[in-house]
Amino acid sequence: MEAGVACKLNYPTWIRFGRKSTGSLRFDRIAKQEHKTRVVVSAHFPVQTSSNRHRSVSLEVSCSSYTNFSASTMETGSIHAPYDEALMLKNKSLEVEPYLNGHSIYLVGLMGSGKTTVGKILSHVLGYSFCDSDTLIEQEVNGMSVAEIFKLHGESFFRKKETEVLQRLSSKKQLVVSTGGGAVVLDVNWDYMQKKGIVVWLDVPLEALAQRIAAVGTHSRPLLHYEDGDPYTKALKRLSYLLEQRGKNYAKANARVSLEEIAGKLGYRDVSDLTPTEIAIEALEQIEVYLKEEDGMAIAGL
Ligand SMILES: Nc1ncnc2c1ncn2[C@@H]1O[C@H](COP(=O)(O)OP(=O)(O)OP(=O)(O)O)[C@@H](O)[C@H]1O
Ligand SMILES: O=C(O)C1=C[C@@H](O)[C@@H](O)[C@H](O)C1
C-alpha cells in the first residue's frame, strides 16, 4: 500500500502523527500542482507496541481525483510509519514555547518520580537551564550529601536551605527545576516557585516508585530509613505515608502529569513501559493546557 499511495499521489512528503488518535498527511506543493489531487484522508490509529519498543501506526488513506471529486476512491490501505518520539517532543516544545513566555518549570513529586530525568529532557528541548534543588543545597553546605545534612543538621535545617535555594531561583526565568520531594509542604516555597514559574506534578503510582528506588537502593534518601524490610518494602511503606501527608500539596500544582493516564492513552499495560520522553511530551501538553486556560481567563478579564 505504501508504494501504491506514493505511486498514485507521487511524493507525499511527510506523515505526522498526533498522540490523540489524530494525524495528518502532507503533500509536496509540486505534487499538488502536478496532479491536482484532492486528498481525502481517513486515518485510523490503533497504537501497537512491538517487542523492540518501536511503535508503528496503521494509517488508512483514501484519495480521490480533484477534477472528479465524486469519483471513487483511488486507493485505501495502511501505512506503517515509525513513531518518532524525539520529533514529537520537539514539535510539542515549539508549540508550547510561545505561551511559556520564559516562565520556569518547577517539577514536583515524590522521590524517584523522575523530576531529574524528565527535567533534563525538558530543559534540553526548550533550551532552558536545568537545576536540581537538592544538588544546590548540597553545594551550599560544603558539598555534603542530602543524607549527611539530614544526619548532621536535621530535617528543619535542610528545609530552611531548601527555601533559600527556591527563593534564589525564583527571580530567574527559563529554568527547569527538579525540586526536592518535600518542597511542596511549605507555602512560602509555592510563592517562590510560582513567582515566575509553573509547577508541574509528576504523579507516579507508588509501586512504580518503590520499584525504581529499590533498583538503586535507599541509601541516598534519608526519609526512607524509618521502615524495616527490603528496599522495595521500605520504600513502598514510607512513600505511601508521605503521599497521604502531601497528596493535597502536590495537587495544588498548575499541571499534573499522571503516568497512569499516559499509559492508558498510549495503550500500555504498565507505566514502566513509558519512556521519559513520552512523559516529557505529556508534561508539555499539560503545561500548554494550563497556559491556554490562563490566557483565556486573562482575555476574559477573570
Ligand atoms: N520513566 C522512567 N522509567 C523508569 N525509570 C525511571 C523513569 N524516570 C526515572 N527513572 C529512574 O528512577 C530513578 C529516579 O529518577 P529521578 O532521579 O529522575 O527522580 P527524582 O524525582 O529526581 O528523584 P529524587 O527526588 O529522589 O531526586 C532513577 O534511577 C531513574 O533512572
Ligand atoms: O521527599 C522528601 O522530603 C525528600 C526528597 C529528596 O528529594 C530530598 O529533598 C530529601 O531527601 C527529602
Side-chain angles (χ1 to χ4, degrees):
M1 165 64 197
E2 191 163 3
V5 168
C7 171
K8 281 273 189 317
L9 298 172
N10 272 351
Y11 23 76
T13 46
W14 51 260
I15 301 166
R16 179 172 176 270
F17 300 107
R19 306 180 81 229
K20 292 181 182 165
S21 305
T22 58
S24 58
L25 183 63
R26 201 175 88 165
F27 294 89
D28 194 296
R29 198 154 44 91
I30 302 163
K32 280 191 213 151
Q33 283 163 1
E34 279 182 10
H35 296 268
K36 299 207 175 349
T37 305
R38 175 112 172 209
V39 182
V40 180
V41 178
S42 61
H44 176 57
F45 291 86
V47 176
Q48 298 155 1
T49 311
S50 65
S51 53
N52 64 4
R53 293 188 55 86
H54 280 97
R55 274 185 286 153
S56 65
V57 206
S58 277
L59 175 67
E60 285 167 20
V61 186
S62 307
C63 321
S64 56
S65 153
Y66 201 7
T67 48
N68 184 11
F69 186 54
S70 60
S72 59
T73 295
M74 285 161 76
E75 186 115 10
T76 302
S78 71
I79 290 171
H80 294 280
Y83 170 89
D84 186 342
E85 60 175 25
L87 181 64
M88 288 192 57
L89 177 71
K90 188 65 207 164
N91 286 341
K92 195 49 144 175
S93 76
L94 291 172
E95 215 174 294
V96 175
E97 225 189 306
Y99 293 96
L100 259 179
N101 200 20
H103 278 80
S104 292
I105 296 170
Y106 289 80
L107 296 174
V108 300
L110 282 168
M111 288 170 241
S113 55
K115 301 177 295 282
T116 306
T117 309
V118 174
K120 284 183 177 167
I121 294 172
L122 288 174
S123 71
H124 185 254
V125 76
L126 290 167
Y128 279 21
S129 305
F130 172 80
C131 47
D132 180 319
S133 69
D134 284 344
T135 307
L136 294 174
I137 297 166
E138 289 173 343
Q139 284 167 4
E140 276 211 0
V141 190
N142 304 323
M144 222 181 250
S145 72
V146 169
E148 286 167 340
I149 299 170
F150 266 69
K151 203 168 160 194
L152 262 164
H153 299 286
E155 184 172 347
S156 55
F157 173 87
F158 175 85
R159 296 290 169 212
K160 201 166 140 271
K161 288 283 164 207
E162 190 168 49
T163 299
E164 282 170 19
V165 161
L166 292 173
Q167 179 179 21
R168 200 149 28 84
L169 297 178
S170 69
S171 59
K172 299 187 176 147
K173 293 184 91 179
Q174 298 197 317
L175 296 179
V176 176
V177 184
S178 166
T179 66
V184 292
V185 169
L186 297 178
D187 286 346
V188 64
N189 292 348
W190 282 90
D191 295 340
Y192 292 134
M193 292 191 288
Q194 290 180 316
K195 193 171 151 199
K196 289 185 180 165
I198 296 161
V199 180
V200 179
W201 172 27
L202 295 186
D203 183 8
V204 182
L206 292 172
E207 293 75 13
L209 288 179
Q211 263 168 23
R212 289 183 192 176
I213 289 171
V216 290
T218 56
H219 55 278
S220 66
R221 295 179 163 98
L223 290 183
L224 298 181
H225 294 157
Y226 296 100
E227 316 287 343
D228 294 327
D230 59 88
Y232 176 85
T233 312
K234 266 161 79 163
L236 188 62
K237 275 194 204 161
R238 195 66 189 172
L239 289 169
S240 309
Y241 168 78
L242 288 175
L243 186 62
E244 235 173 73
Q245 302 289 304
R246 298 173 179 170
K248 275 196 198 125
N249 303 78
Y250 289 129
K252 287 198 304 195
N254 303 114
R256 169 175 168 256
V257 175
S258 157
L259 266 60
E260 266 174 355
E261 284 174 19
I262 317 173
K265 270 200 265 185
L266 296 179
Y268 293 160
R269 251 181 286 148
D270 199 312
V271 297
S272 62
D273 291 332
L274 289 168
T275 66
T277 301
E278 285 169 334
I279 299 165
I281 293 170
E282 176 72 6
L284 288 172
E285 250 172 44
Q286 294 305 325
I287 289 169
E288 187 179 22
V289 168
Y290 165 70
L291 290 171
K292 283 184 174 170
E293 265 171 27
E294 281 277 284
D295 216 25
M297 286 202 285
I299 291 165
L302 297 172

